Amino acid sequence: MNKALKNRIINSIELLPYGHDLYLHMARKRLGITYRGVYDSFHEAQQQAISQLANEYDVINQNKGEHLEQELPVLDKRVLDIDYPLLFWLSRLMQPSQRLLELGGSIGQGFYSFENFFSYPDRLQWVIAELPAAVEAGRKIASQKDETRLAFIDSNDMGEEDAADIFMTAGTLQYMDTTIAETVSQLQRLPKHVLVHNLPSHPTEDFWTLQYLEVCEVPYHISSQANLVSNMEKAGYRLVDRWKNPRRIEIPYHLEKTVEHYHGFYFTVNDPK
């Protein structure tokens, strides 16, 4: 189809009532990452996922594990502009002999990439809690690299892990049916520092949608910023810093749920009185 004609058709569609929503829905496969529906819970969203596709994120990790030869050359080059606030705080918080627990982290991209920007302290222990396919692939790569500072555990076993000094999660909480406050409260003890990065959040609304990723359609949580901070304060933390990066989420037929930014937060545990 002629490009000019195609653009005229798209512009005409968007002039219709709900036209932009219709375009987002029709072009979802071509647009790559798209969103559908608004739901009250993880399980309600999961029940509405496309039945022909996987409804769990671990299929993405399985694909990585099956193509490790493609992952290895870029494993230590996965830092984006939006990651600099996280790098800033990590470089200042890490101390010798500390234990860092990362929820998510896939096959270790953060561990391998961030060391290009600052030196890790001596005797650092970096533990990644992930889904089974990522754990398997991550352990294989760490073994190949003879990397003893990095370990992988199943995310279901985090509550049994030794206490951590720093807890970090980036781009992961939105796929989980637990909040950050619930997650840290289930650990052996409260980590002194908690870093949450690349989290989609709305100023006041808290809801679930479905994220389409070509090979899967999975529940996706949009957190309320107000609730997140309030719940962490109730769990014994105070907010030290927050940051944001522009990344828009539009859900067809739910304009009021539009997300303008992804956010990051740094919390530290309140000193005992």
Side-chain angles (χ1 to χ4, degrees):
M1 181 185 294
N2 179 279
K3 184 176 180 180
L5 177 59
K6 183 177 180 180
N7 288 336
R8 287 179 62 186
I9 292 173
I10 292 173
N11 291 337
S12 297
I13 290 174
E14 294 202 341
L15 289 174
L16 297 170
Y18 298 104
H20 184 61
D21 304 272
L22 178 61
Y23 170 69
L24 288 175
H25 181 75
M26 292 171 60
R28 65 197 311 266
K29 289 188 176 181
R30 182 176 62 79
L31 293 174
I33 297 178
T34 56
Y35 304 87
R36 178 172 66 87
V38 170
Y39 308 97
D40 292 330
S41 69
F42 175 97
H43 296 292
E44 183 185 349
Q46 193 173 53
Q47 289 173 356
Q48 300 301 318
I50 297 173
S51 59
Q52 294 90 340
L53 295 174
N55 62 9
E56 295 181 350
Y57 191 85
D58 209 22
V59 67
I60 301 291
N61 295 319
Q62 291 171 4
N63 288 342
K64 287 183 180 180
E66 292 169 0
H67 302 90
L68 286 183
E69 69 282 354
Q70 298 175 17
E71 296 290 328
L72 287 172
V74 295
L75 189 60
D76 62 349
K77 300 176 176 63
R78 297 288 181 86
V79 174
L80 304 174
D81 290 348
I82 64 171
D83 294 327
Y84 280 91
L86 183 62
L87 285 167
F88 172 86
W89 282 114
L90 275 179
S91 67
R92 282 153 178 75
L93 296 176
M94 283 184 172
Q95 300 295 325
S97 302
Q98 278 189 331
R99 186 176 182 84
L100 184 152
L101 177 59
E102 181 181 9
L103 173 59
S106 188
I107 55 178
Q109 288 96 330
F111 171 84
Y112 294 112
S113 297
F114 294 173
E115 197 170 19
N116 292 324
F117 294 84
F118 63 94
S119 298
Y120 293 162
D122 293 339
R123 302 179 302 282
L124 171 71
Q125 293 179 287
W126 188 312
V127 181
I128 291 178
E130 256 290 3
L131 297 171
V135 170
E136 181 180 355
R139 286 174 176 170
K140 184 181 298 185
I141 292 173
S143 177
Q144 292 175 0
K145 290 178 169 289
D146 196 26
E147 180 54 74
T148 59
R149 298 171 297 175
L150 179 62
F152 291 82
I153 62 168
D154 191 300
S155 55
N156 290 323
D157 299 331
M158 279 198 307
E160 303 171 12
E161 270 295 293
D162 293 338
D165 304 287
I166 301 172
F167 182 90
M168 180 177 80
T169 184
T172 298
L173 279 176
Q174 51 264 47
Y175 297 102
M176 299 187 63
D177 193 20
T178 55
T179 66
I180 182 61
E182 291 169 339
T183 299
V184 296
S185 295
Q186 292 168 3
L187 300 176
Q188 293 282 351
R189 69 168 164 78
L190 291 179
K192 184 174 182 180
H193 308 287
V194 174
L195 293 164
V196 180
H197 181 56
N198 204 27
L199 181 73
S201 58
H202 188 279
T204 57
E205 299 281 346
D206 193 286
F207 61 93
W208 290 83
T209 186
L210 281 165
Q211 185 188 58
Y212 172 78
L213 295 168
E214 295 188 355
V215 297
C216 61
E217 189 177 52
V218 295
Y220 198 76
H221 188 207
I222 308 300
S223 300
S224 158
Q225 296 173 46
N227 288 348
L228 186 150
V229 173
S230 174
N231 289 337
M232 284 295 284
E233 289 174 345
K234 292 175 183 176
Y237 286 89
R238 63 178 176 86
L239 179 65
V240 177
D241 190 19
R242 71 168 76 196
W243 55 93
K244 63 183 179 181
N245 65 283
R247 180 176 170 183
R248 189 176 177 86
I249 292 179
E250 293 181 303
I251 305 171
Y253 309 108
H254 297 280
L255 183 62
E256 76 284 359
K257 304 293 187 182
T258 296
V259 171
E260 303 287 352
H261 298 90
Y262 278 46
H263 286 79
F265 304 86
Y266 164 37
F267 296 93
T268 187
V269 73
N270 285 321
D271 294 329
K273 295 180 181 180

